Amino acid sequence: MPALIRHVLFPGRHHLVTAFQVAYLTDLLAGRVRDADGEPVTCAPDARVVWALTSASHSGTRRNPVPAHRREAMIEAVTTRAGLASLVVPVADVPPSPRFAHTVLATSELVLGEALAPHDTVVACSTPEVAAMYAAEGYRIATAEAGAPGDPARPWDVLERMVAGDDAWRTVAHPDAVAFYERYRLDAHVRLVHTDPTVQDDGDLTETRDYATYTAAFDDASDRKWEQVAPHVRPGRIVDLGCAAGGLLERAARDPRLAESDLYGVDVSRHLVAEAEHRRAQGVFANPNVFFAQRNLLLGPVFPERSVDTTTTIALTHEIASYGDGRADLELLARRVFEHTRPGGVWINSDVLGPADPERVVDLVLDGDADVPARDLSGLERAQAAAHVAGLSPAARLVQFAQDFPALSGAEVKVEWVERGADRSVARTTLRTAMEYLCTRDYTDSWLSECHERFCDLTGDDWTDLLTGVGFELEPGSGPWRNDWLVEHRLSVGAALRDPVTGAPVDWPDTHVLTVARRPLVPVG
């Protein structure tokens, strides 16, 4: 005679609990359900459902829109009201693996302090591929939705109805789950995550970025960036949009002037916010009032109107233009920042900049042979693509850029080779294209990601028009500037600009902009 079942293991992400699931699990504990082999499942009087909450360390993405603590609280609320004896076991997010079932079982044993053995555990699972993993471990399977008449909706189906605006999701979800969603406005949050056009399924702008390299580069520049923006920061509520892993706020937290200020880091990237939170837990920030959030300001306000004293954006605005709708999204960003800025407060923006005369034709003189065909990198691993691009000469790398940059960024590139040689080649192009290439070419670790980004969308005059157009006033010192270190150590290495008519050197244009935009104390007009 089979042993009595003491545990019903119910693995899943559990972003929603349906009425069917509660009824099915209740019947399973009551012995009214047969397993996949048609055998009755007899449970002990003290049997419990173990909700294995997978992807518990992953949230804010289309794959996992609801954070684990909300999912766990929802399960507790639903099962308590339903009288369904349950335990919740959070399971960290892991890459797809044939040992997934083993991971869930090992985590459950660690959390509960006892093993869920095959002789006293049945696994409730409607996904055949996942169920097969547990069956291979010797567990009996209760097929849940997959074995029920009428093919009941799975939680993810219900979530998709919610995203589509179909209110029928409320009739399929368990009533207490609906109440929980409404209490915390999770339905609006899920729709926001799923409809964000700039973010990939896993919660990032791009799938081709090397985040270790990106974070290290941002951290290395944080001292210099903070030195640049610190004189303009107003104490109070300080918000760093596009905060990455918190490098700039780490410097702000050490500033005695800001000891009484609240520091907020906001980024759209799940990876970067998670790293910032990890750093905070390690005690990196001297100011205890440092907070981080994964948000996209373009999709809705993050802070109440007139509540922020200082907003900083460092190397962010070109990403917004590149991954969004160009200048239109920058204008939307400017309006949102203006709305949340207190009168007298400031928005400090530092970023790359397009040349003042972007359509001027120049000759770009590059070391190396341009007679090297571009390669299709789309099928390569990131490290392979990086190695290939890193091995190209400056001239050959422009050939690769002229293929990848238009395809990924949507920008037009016109390159006419007027000289090709083994040691030197000359490309006739616009100053905008030349600067886009020279500002991109050294970022080989994330080449395809970088080729998605446009550095030269706006000129200094464009920024003035954009900021004053939404109501800001520009403080003295705002405007374009040239990073001469960048010119000497990056732009001019193996490259030069010449006038195509006279052959004379062309001065390097401004490369960056710093704007300190103040919201007037009294509305203009």
Side-chain angles (χ1 to χ4, degrees):
M1 179 178 178
L4 293 177
I5 295 298
R6 296 183 57 246
H7 304 105
V8 175
L9 178 61
F10 192 31
R13 286 175 287 164
H14 301 308
H15 288 282
L16 201 63
V17 179
T18 66
F20 169 84
Q21 287 177 324
V22 173
Y24 180 84
L25 294 170
T26 300
D27 286 345
L28 191 55
L29 291 182
R32 295 191 290 265
V33 172
R34 294 179 178 271
D35 66 18
D37 296 325
E39 297 296 326
V41 177
T42 305
C43 292
D46 62 347
R48 296 172 296 186
V49 179
V50 177
W51 299 67
L53 190 72
T54 60
S55 292
S57 56
H58 181 188
S59 65
T61 72
R62 293 172 194 162
R63 180 164 67 90
N64 288 296
V66 182
H69 70 279
R70 293 287 188 227
R71 289 182 266 160
E72 181 170 357
M74 175 186 61
I75 293 168
E76 295 285 5
V78 170
T79 57
T80 299
R81 289 286 298 274
L84 184 63
S86 297
L87 296 169
V88 181
V89 173
V91 180
D93 190 53
V94 294
S97 166
R99 290 176 54 80
F100 173 71
H102 176 80
T103 299
V104 172
L105 292 165
T107 303
S108 299
E109 181 177 0
L110 185 65
V111 171
L112 301 178
E114 61 177 319
L116 306 185
H119 72 273
D120 65 1
T121 301
V122 64
V123 178
C125 181
S126 64
T127 305
E129 296 82 5
V130 177
M133 295 182 186
Y134 290 98
E137 298 275 347
Y139 289 85
R140 299 168 66 188
I141 305 297
T143 54
E145 291 94 344
D151 191 23
R154 278 73 165 170
W156 197 255
D157 300 328
V158 182
L159 216 65
E160 289 184 337
R161 292 187 192 180
M162 179 193 302
V163 172
D166 181 359
D167 267 355
W169 75 269
R170 300 173 185 272
T171 65
V172 182
H174 190 276
D176 290 312
V178 175
F180 188 87
Y181 259 66
E182 290 176 341
R183 185 185 319 155
Y184 290 100
R185 296 184 291 181
L186 292 179
D187 51 341
H189 171 74
V190 170
R191 290 192 191 99
L192 193 65
V193 171
H194 273 257
T195 55
D196 186 342
T198 67
V199 181
Q200 305 293 323
D201 286 351
D202 215 34
D204 295 287
L205 287 171
T206 172
E207 297 174 341
T208 55
R209 174 173 286 165
D210 181 338
Y211 278 94
T213 301
Y214 181 86
T215 300
F218 200 96
D219 284 346
D220 286 345
S222 290
D223 284 332
R224 174 172 49 82
K225 292 296 184 184
W226 179 245
E227 182 180 351
Q228 183 185 46
V229 305
H232 309 288
V233 171
R234 311 287 171 91
R237 175 176 282 181
I238 299 167
V239 176
D240 184 21
L241 294 179
C243 66
L248 195 73
L249 290 184
E250 182 182 343
R251 277 73 181 170
R254 296 197 295 257
D255 191 323
R257 296 183 306 123
L258 308 179
E260 301 298 321
S261 295
D262 291 337
L263 310 179
Y264 293 83
V266 178
D267 205 287
V268 74
S269 167
R270 175 182 63 86
H271 291 282
L272 295 175
V273 172
E275 177 60 23
E277 291 281 14
H278 173 71
R279 290 181 174 188
R280 183 173 66 166
Q282 299 302 308
V284 166
F285 300 96
N287 185 332
N289 294 312
V290 179
F291 312 95
F292 294 98
Q294 183 190 358
R295 298 286 191 277
N296 184 345
L297 188 65
L298 297 182
L299 295 184
V302 176
F303 297 93
E305 291 186 7
R306 301 180 177 219
S307 68
V308 175
D309 296 281
T310 299
T311 301
T312 59
T313 51
I314 308 299
L316 172 71
T317 52
H318 77 277
E319 290 195 346
I320 289 175
S322 299
Y323 290 98
D325 192 19
R327 178 163 178 159
D329 274 352
L330 292 180
E331 291 174 348
L332 174 57
L333 173 71
R335 288 197 299 273
R336 289 267 161 79
V337 173
F338 184 84
E339 289 164 0
H340 78 211
T341 302
R342 299 187 205 273
V346 294
W347 173 19
I348 307 166
N349 177 52
S350 174
D351 206 350
V352 290
L353 183 75
D357 187 8
E359 300 309 314
R360 177 182 177 180
V361 177
V362 295
D363 280 350
L364 177 57
V365 184
L366 296 170
D367 289 352
D369 189 357
D371 196 19
V372 177
R375 182 176 176 184
D376 182 4
L377 306 178
S378 59
L380 300 181
E381 296 289 337
R382 183 167 56 202
Q384 293 175 310
H388 173 73
V389 176
L392 298 175
S393 70
R397 202 173 296 183
L398 176 59
V399 176
Q400 187 71 43
F401 176 85
Q403 169 185 278
D404 296 335
F405 183 70
L408 295 170
S409 74
E412 184 180 15
V413 168
K414 295 180 180 178
V415 174
E416 176 191 356
W417 292 99
V418 295
E419 182 182 329
R420 298 173 187 261
D423 298 322
R424 191 186 84 156
S425 299
V426 179
R428 187 156 295 165
T429 186
T430 64
L431 191 54
R432 182 202 301 270
T433 294
M435 294 305 293
E436 288 282 14
Y437 166 64
L438 293 173
C439 290
T440 300
R441 65 169 177 166
D442 293 321
Y443 295 101
T444 58
D445 283 350
S446 299
W447 176 258
L448 294 179
S449 174
E450 295 298 335
C451 282
H452 202 143
E453 297 183 16
R454 301 184 301 274
F455 288 2
C456 301
D457 272 7
L458 269 64
T459 66
D461 288 343
D462 291 333
W463 270 113
T464 298
D465 293 344
L466 188 152
L467 292 168
T468 57
V470 300
F472 281 112
E473 294 178 345
L474 289 179
E475 298 256 289
S478 297
W481 62 283
R482 189 175 73 185
N483 185 329
D484 289 329
W485 183 95
L486 185 70
V487 171
E488 179 182 354
H489 294 90
R490 294 288 184 86
L491 304 185
S492 64
V493 175
L497 296 175
R498 297 283 185 268
D499 184 278
V501 176
T502 67
V506 172
D507 288 339
W508 292 99
D510 291 324
T511 57
H512 290 75
V513 66
L514 173 68
T515 52
V516 182
R518 181 174 60 88
R519 179 168 181 164
L521 290 170
V522 178
V524 177

